[in-house]
Amino acid sequence: DIKENKKTKKVTEKKVRKRKRSLWKKLVTAILIAGIIGVLLITAFFAYIVLSAPEFKEEAFKVNDQTLVYDINGEIIAKLGLEHRESITYDDLPQVLIDAIIATEDSRYFQHNGVDLPRFIKASIYQILGKDGAGGASTLTMQTVKNSLTSTESEGIKGIIRKFQDVY
């Protein structure tokens, strides 16, 4: 009777170990499959971003100045257009204006290369979760791209796609 109990106990222990091993194998397989699917989905998302992003055209960043009409002597006789704009270079901007824009719009402008990654990730997660006040996480560079190349869409999945296109 004791021998039979020991034998039964050993068989039961082997079955339990097999079940545990089988459970671990299933769990590891499920995690691997989920990981592969996740990688494929992320890859597909980024491929979509790249394929759907508008073509980069330097001309899109140039603001149309107003049209100047000159007389025969080279004197300006009229300025045409709804907006009176004149292009200037960065060096022509007063430092106080540069400081004010940086402080207001992108305080870490000189610490990143156009994308403030920590702010971008935080804003993207908040937007996915649907939280109010997700923040734009838009650097001056991203704002320029948004206004010149992509769109101003900021809600839902379209807003998230647009932000990734801005980064791209």
Side-chain angles (χ1 to χ4, degrees):
D1 201 32
I2 294 175
K3 284 185 180 182
E4 205 173 291
N5 277 346
K6 284 184 180 180
K7 195 176 187 181
T8 307
K9 195 175 181 181
K10 282 184 182 181
V11 169
T12 305
E13 285 176 4
K14 283 183 183 180
K15 285 181 182 178
V16 168
R17 274 189 253 135
K18 274 187 176 181
R19 280 189 203 145
K20 283 184 180 179
R21 236 182 281 135
S22 175
L23 182 64
W24 275 109
K25 282 182 182 179
K26 287 178 183 176
L27 183 62
V28 168
T29 303
I31 290 171
L32 283 173
I33 290 171
I36 290 169
I37 290 171
V39 167
L40 290 174
L41 287 174
I42 289 169
T43 303
F45 176 75
F46 284 112
Y48 176 77
I49 295 299
V50 170
L51 295 173
S52 67
E55 185 181 341
F56 182 86
K57 294 180 182 174
E58 195 172 327
E59 302 83 48
F61 293 99
K62 294 181 180 168
V63 178
N64 292 330
D65 295 334
Q66 61 188 123
T67 302
L68 302 176
V69 179
Y70 296 91
D71 68 11
I72 198 166
N73 299 319
E75 301 292 323
I76 297 174
I77 58 170
K79 294 180 181 181
L80 306 176
L82 297 174
E83 297 180 12
H84 299 289
R85 296 181 178 188
E86 185 178 321
S87 294
I88 61 171
T89 66
Y90 179 81
D91 294 331
D92 294 332
L93 295 172
Q95 188 60 44
V96 68
L97 177 62
I98 294 169
D99 293 343
I101 292 170
I102 299 294
T104 305
E105 296 294 329
D106 189 1
S107 61
R108 297 187 338 191
Y109 179 76
F110 294 108
Q111 281 97 35
H112 58 71
N113 291 322
V115 178
D116 191 345
L117 203 54
R119 278 181 48 211
F120 178 77
I121 291 170
K122 178 183 173 190
S124 296
I125 291 170
Y126 277 24
Q127 197 164 12
I128 289 168
L129 296 175
K131 292 192 174 193
D132 290 339
S138 293
T139 63
L140 284 170
T141 307
M142 289 174 68
Q143 290 177 41
T144 302
V145 169
K146 174 183 74 175
N147 292 329
S148 300
L149 292 177
T150 58
S151 73
T152 57
E153 182 68 48
S154 63
E155 298 295 320
I157 190 68
K158 287 184 178 181
I160 293 168
I161 289 170
R162 197 256 316 145
K163 281 219 175 274
F164 275 91
Q165 287 176 336
D166 291 349
V167 170
Y168 170 71

